[in-house]
Amino acid sequence: MSESKPGESKSSEGASQRRLLIPSFLTPSGIKGEEKKERRERRLRIRRRSDVDEGKAKIHPEVLKELGIEDEVEIVLVGGGSRERKYVLKVIPSEDVPRNEVWCNEEEMRRLGVADNSIATIRKPLGPKEEKET
């Protein structure tokens, strides 16, 4: 039994030596002390609905809570090439909306060139401080 303890200490010493030999650029970011604030987002289907007011979007309340959205939502649509379109809309929580959909005003979406059933990234918009950092 006393023989296994010295062996264990040797392996633990070896492990610490290996950790010191790994260059800093190869270490995973989880080991480093850096904390990067992660933006939560989901890919949801955009539906055109005539019962939604212009400038507003109806989203299921559970999705809002999951993404940390309170009053505004950023909808990002990716077009062909490097064309990325972003729209910020006011949020209306609604239990009627399925969890995988966002309901927006039909006329507004038509004017913006957003097709019904489009897939878009939904996330909380950046605040003025956060935009300057990125």
Side-chain angles (χ1 to χ4, degrees), residues 31-117:
I31 294 173
K32 291 181 183 178
E34 299 174 13
E35 275 189 45
K36 188 174 182 180
K37 190 171 182 181
E38 185 178 312
R39 281 183 82 182
R40 289 176 285 186
E41 57 186 39
R42 284 197 50 194
R43 309 250 313 161
L44 301 176
R45 196 166 292 280
I46 304 294
R47 298 301 312 263
R48 292 197 224 169
R49 300 287 295 225
S50 58
D51 60 335
V52 180
D53 298 332
E54 280 199 33
K56 300 195 174 169
K58 285 188 178 182
I59 304 176
H60 197 279
E62 288 181 23
V63 175
L64 293 175
K65 188 169 34 170
E66 180 184 318
L67 299 176
I69 297 171
E70 292 140 18
D71 55 348
E72 288 187 332
V73 64
E74 182 179 66
I75 297 174
V76 182
L77 291 149
V78 179
S82 63
R83 201 172 120 205
E84 184 178 270
R85 298 176 290 167
K86 294 182 183 181
Y87 307 108
V88 177
L89 303 172
K90 298 283 182 197
V91 170
I92 302 171
S94 176
E95 292 280 342
D96 300 335
V97 182
R99 293 194 80 225
N100 64 335
E101 290 183 2
V102 176
W103 291 357
C104 300
N105 181 275
E106 187 173 10
E107 290 301 315
E108 183 179 20
M109 291 297 110
R110 186 173 285 126
R111 212 174 332 114
L112 296 172
V114 179
D116 194 25
N117 279 330

Side-chain angles (χ1 to χ4, degrees), residues 111-130:
R111 212 174 332 114
L112 296 172
V114 179
D116 194 25
N117 279 330
S118 295
I119 301 289
T121 302
I122 308 300
R123 60 186 172 214
K124 184 176 182 176
L126 286 174
K129 270 186 173 179
E130 294 166 327

